Amino acid sequence: MLKREISEKLKLWRTQKNKKALCIIGARQIGKTTIIREFAKQEYENFIEINFILDKGAEKIFEDKLDADTIIENLTAFKMQKMEPGKTLVFLDEIQECPNARCAIKFLVEDGRFDYIESGSLLGVRYKEVPSYAVGFEEIVSMYPMNFREFLRANGVQDTTFTTLQFCYENHNEVPTVMHETLLKLFATYIVVGGMPDVVQTYVDTHDIGKVVRLQRNILELYRQDISKYSEGAEKVRIKAIFDSIASQLDDKNRRFILNRIDENGRMNRYENSFMWLSDAGVALPSYNVTEPQAPLQLNEKRNLFKLFMGDTGLLCASCMENIQFELLQGNMDVNMGSILENVFAQSIKSGGFSLNYFESKKYGELDFVIQNGLKIDLLEIKSGNDYQKHSALNKVSAVENWKFGRKIVFCKGNVEQKEEIEYFINLAADYKEKKKQGVAVDTLKGKNVALIFEKTSTRTRCSFEVAAHDLGMGSTYLDPTGSQIGKKESIADTARVLGRMYDGIEYRGFGQEVVEELAKHAGVPVWNGLTNEYHPTQMIADMLTIREHFGDLKGRKLVYMGDARYNMGNSLMIACTKLGMHFVACTTKKYFPNAELVAQCEEYAKASGGSITLTEDVQEGTKDADVIYTDVWVSMGEPDEVWTERIHDLTPYKVTKDVMKNAGEKAIFLHCLPAFHDLKTKIGKEMGERFNLTDMEVTDEVFESEQSKVFDEAENRMHTIKAVMVATLGER
């Protein structure tokens, strides 16, 4: 006997006082009758079953006078079985064949001596002509094919496994490898077998996929017979056409059901009832587009835009996808997996009691599923391939200021992961870098334009944004420190609202962090921080990509920042390292230690990631066994000249020299965000050299030009990482 979760609902219903009749509805062949019989066997001394198809003449029980005494008298005469108050369950099966029986439930429930369960094909329950429904006297429970959990139990998976899975999910821990691989194989099997109980039992008993498919096709034929039996005239033709096209419609790239593929002159108002017929029958599951992914979703539904899934994924595979079963069972998840995976998740979501919706717009892209979970909206993306870390629509929708969400989940064949945005951008950047090397065009953002505001000049940031924009097919406009009225004749808010109406994205490189945040608040388009006094996020992604390229990983690596750790580079490196499970060291005089409040925040990041923070004045101790030695110019753009004397005095002991690199170890690398004062070949370098009798400042030329120096790899990566940031936030068309 297959264990079904609805059994617990039935037991709970049994304990209720003044209970209503229970009406269990659902598609054909999902095990309604079997589960009710088993429930009656366990919970009742007496069980009366009436099947209005098999028990000829049973409909006469409910003819003429519909009062409880008459009906009960007729029941006992027809079945000749004992009926004891409080100990008897009356089961009215295939109730769609006897409309009067549904009317009579009111009187039987009011009588209260016995318990009543009705069951039938949902299509029949809804579409048979019923004189008067028992409103207020029926509790309707929807039943669906077996879900994945039930399938696993049928195949011997124990409750301890489910406990482990739940723990891993809630704590974002990896599932043990053997368990993950086993369950992944069973998931592929579930896709092939589906959740129709007879089919599942056949698989469990025989493992014969040939028998499984033959059974599935018999069920599909039964559904077609139901269409002929319960529909009439032109509607019958329309329903069959829709039913037979579900698989091919899902196989299309956007999965959306296109009516003119089955009827060139078709109009939704003529077909609406036909779609509802299949939906009510439990055969098909419509997922409606919403105008915005916010509660209540029902008010945002666009009923003319929908995807139509099959009620059971196993039946979908059996309907027209020849030989796909073999491919799936062999672990080949590439064959038609987009449509199949979306179908199995649609089936799971619906059986979980949630409505099916998706979100699609030109501005944001498409989200596979948008689920209202109480007052929260959960976002689900389903990925069949290895590009599960690319989900631009999810990123764009998540960034909308006024939209609030609960969980944001990407399902894929990999293990449990919780990806920080930083790691996501790194992976995406690596992908675009490889495409650049291979000469693969990535101009997926044609027609878009970006504005580049530079209140502080730059070589790498400007070139990175302009080349990245060009590669992506976008136009760009550079606004230098004299090229805009921002903050001068025009407020930041007004500038944001003007540019936001002309451009699809805005980059800002300048002074206070509050400026870029004000731009983001009013622009209505993505705003990217190219550098502020406090933070330099795009540099971080390039730095981390460079480190990972060299070492193969990031977690556990020790990065030492030498110099003034109070501003953008020190702050940003500390945040990035602690979020990624790295060990961050600020090696400088206490005067230049990072802000205590930010340190406390980053310590919380480190606790979660396994990283750490060390603040030290000791160069030998701080740089010992470091993987990365990092420094930056001692005086930032916009700072007055008088600070040079102070910085050179304070920070010279923290210059990156050959001895520092030797102390770190021969495998250590040197990074610098540039420009670097490592010689006297620049105007400022020459001036400072003459003024202070120096040949270098924050790093010696010997280190800068050494094999350990990866500064130009780092500089190149700025372009690839900025490309990733723009794609992730603007989305691919």
Side-chain angles (χ1 to χ4, degrees), residues 31-297:
K32 299 184 295 294
T33 300
T34 301
I35 203 70
I36 295 167
R37 286 172 178 168
E38 184 65 22
F39 167 67
K41 182 180 177 182
Q42 293 178 1
E43 299 291 330
Y44 292 87
E45 292 184 23
N46 306 301
F47 177 51
I48 307 292
E49 179 179 348
I50 300 289
N51 186 302
F52 290 106
I53 292 178
L54 300 178
D55 295 328
K56 302 300 181 184
E59 70 279 359
K60 295 178 181 178
I61 297 170
F62 299 92
E63 290 180 353
D64 300 323
K65 188 178 179 181
L66 294 179
D67 62 77
D69 287 337
T70 301
I71 296 169
I72 292 168
E73 184 179 290
N74 290 340
L75 268 173
T76 54
F78 186 84
K79 295 296 294 185
M80 293 294 177
Q81 290 179 243
K82 186 178 180 181
M83 295 182 69
E84 294 181 82
K87 299 179 180 180
T88 302
L89 176 66
V90 179
F91 174 34
L92 305 177
D93 199 9
E94 303 291 355
I95 197 169
Q96 74 276 0
E97 301 295 328
C98 185
N100 283 340
R102 277 198 91 189
C103 299
I105 285 296
K106 172 184 176 182
F107 309 106
L108 295 171
V109 170
E110 285 181 329
D111 175 72
R113 282 178 281 174
F114 312 110
D115 294 343
Y116 299 91
I117 293 181
E118 311 156 276
S119 180
S121 160
L122 198 152
L123 63 90
V125 172
R126 292 279 175 87
Y127 282 89
K128 281 286 187 179
E129 205 173 300
V130 178
S132 175
Y133 286 103
V135 178
F137 296 90
E138 272 185 349
E139 180 184 345
I140 296 178
V141 174
S142 295
M143 189 170 170
Y144 300 94
M146 294 175 67
N147 60 33
F148 186 45
R149 182 190 293 266
E150 291 172 328
F151 179 82
L152 291 177
R153 284 200 173 98
N155 283 275
V157 176
Q158 301 300 303
D159 287 343
T160 53
T161 299
F162 297 115
T163 303
T164 301
L165 291 174
Q166 188 71 24
F167 177 83
C168 290
Y169 173 75
E170 291 176 350
N171 295 277
H172 307 126
N173 293 341
E174 285 192 357
V175 177
T177 302
V178 174
M179 183 183 293
H180 176 254
E181 291 175 352
T182 300
L183 294 177
L184 199 61
K185 290 179 181 177
L186 283 168
F187 183 65
T189 307
Y190 177 62
I191 292 171
V192 170
V193 175
M196 309 305 280
D198 283 350
V199 178
V200 174
Q201 192 65 66
T202 296
Y203 172 76
V204 171
D205 293 341
T206 68
H207 283 63
D208 188 329
I209 299 301
K211 286 184 178 180
V212 164
V213 174
R214 285 192 292 274
L215 261 178
Q216 289 169 332
R217 288 175 177 169
N218 288 339
I219 295 170
L220 289 168
E221 184 55 36
L222 178 64
Y223 285 174
R224 292 186 178 95
Q225 291 172 14
D226 282 344
I227 294 171
S228 298
K229 183 176 180 180
Y230 291 105
S231 61
E232 299 177 355
E235 186 181 49
K236 184 184 301 184
V237 175
R238 289 193 289 266
I239 294 171
K240 280 186 175 180
I242 296 168
F243 179 69
D244 290 335
S245 73
I246 291 175
S248 61
Q249 296 264 3
L250 285 175
D251 201 37
D252 189 70
K253 185 178 180 181
N254 65 12
R255 324 269 195 251
R256 184 160 60 87
F257 197 97
I258 307 297
L259 186 57
N260 63 16
R261 291 181 183 169
I262 60 173
D263 185 351
E264 291 183 0
N265 301 313
R267 295 291 183 269
M268 186 54 68
N269 60 353
R270 290 171 53 205
Y271 275 81
E272 188 172 4
N273 287 338
S274 301
F275 284 110
M276 290 305 300
W277 195 99
L278 285 166
S279 175
D280 285 347
V283 175
L285 306 174
S287 177
Y288 294 100
N289 194 7
V290 290
T291 54
E292 65 175 42
Q294 293 293 282
L297 290 178

Side-chain angles (χ1 to χ4, degrees), residues 571-588:
N571 292 344
S572 299
L573 283 166
M574 183 167 60
I575 293 170
C577 287
T578 53
K579 282 196 169 190
L580 294 170
M582 298 172 67
H583 304 294
F584 174 80
V585 179
C587 186
T588 185

Side-chain angles (χ1 to χ4, degrees), residues 559 570-571 573-575 577-579 582-586 594-607 610-616:
L559 183 146
N571 292 344
L573 283 166
M574 183 167 60
I575 293 170
C577 287
T578 53
K579 282 196 169 190
M582 298 172 67
H583 304 294
F584 174 80
V585 179
N595 175 274
E597 185 177 342
L598 182 60
V599 171
Q601 183 181 341
C602 289
E603 284 176 340
E604 293 301 312
Y605 297 151
K607 285 180 185 177
S612 67
I613 298 173
T614 302
L615 309 179
T616 182

Side-chain angles (χ1 to χ4, degrees), residues 717-730:
N717 284 339
R718 287 294 308 284
M719 188 269 289
H720 303 297
T721 53
I722 283 171
K723 189 181 294 181
V725 168
M726 291 197 291
V727 168
T729 50
L730 291 175

Side-chain angles (χ1 to χ4, degrees), residues 393-406:
L394 184 63
N395 297 332
K396 291 178 71 177
V397 168
S398 301
V400 178
E401 185 177 0
N402 297 325
W403 289 352
K404 305 300 179 185
F405 302 105

Side-chain angles (χ1 to χ4, degrees), residues 169 290 292-295 297 345 349 357-360 364-373 376-382 391-400 403-411:
Y169 173 75
V290 290
E292 65 175 42
Q294 293 293 282
L297 290 178
F345 276 94
I349 293 165
N357 293 103
Y358 73 103
F359 174 71
E360 182 181 20
Y364 298 106
E366 181 182 336
L367 297 173
D368 293 329
F369 294 102
V370 180
I371 301 172
Q372 185 161 339
N373 188 7
K376 293 183 177 179
I377 299 296
D378 294 335
L379 308 179
L380 277 68
E381 281 283 86
I382 314 301
H391 34 71
S392 59
L394 184 63
N395 297 332
K396 291 178 71 177
V397 168
S398 301
V400 178
W403 289 352
K404 305 300 179 185
F405 302 105
R407 297 170 299 178
K408 291 172 282 188
I409 304 173
V410 179
F411 286 97

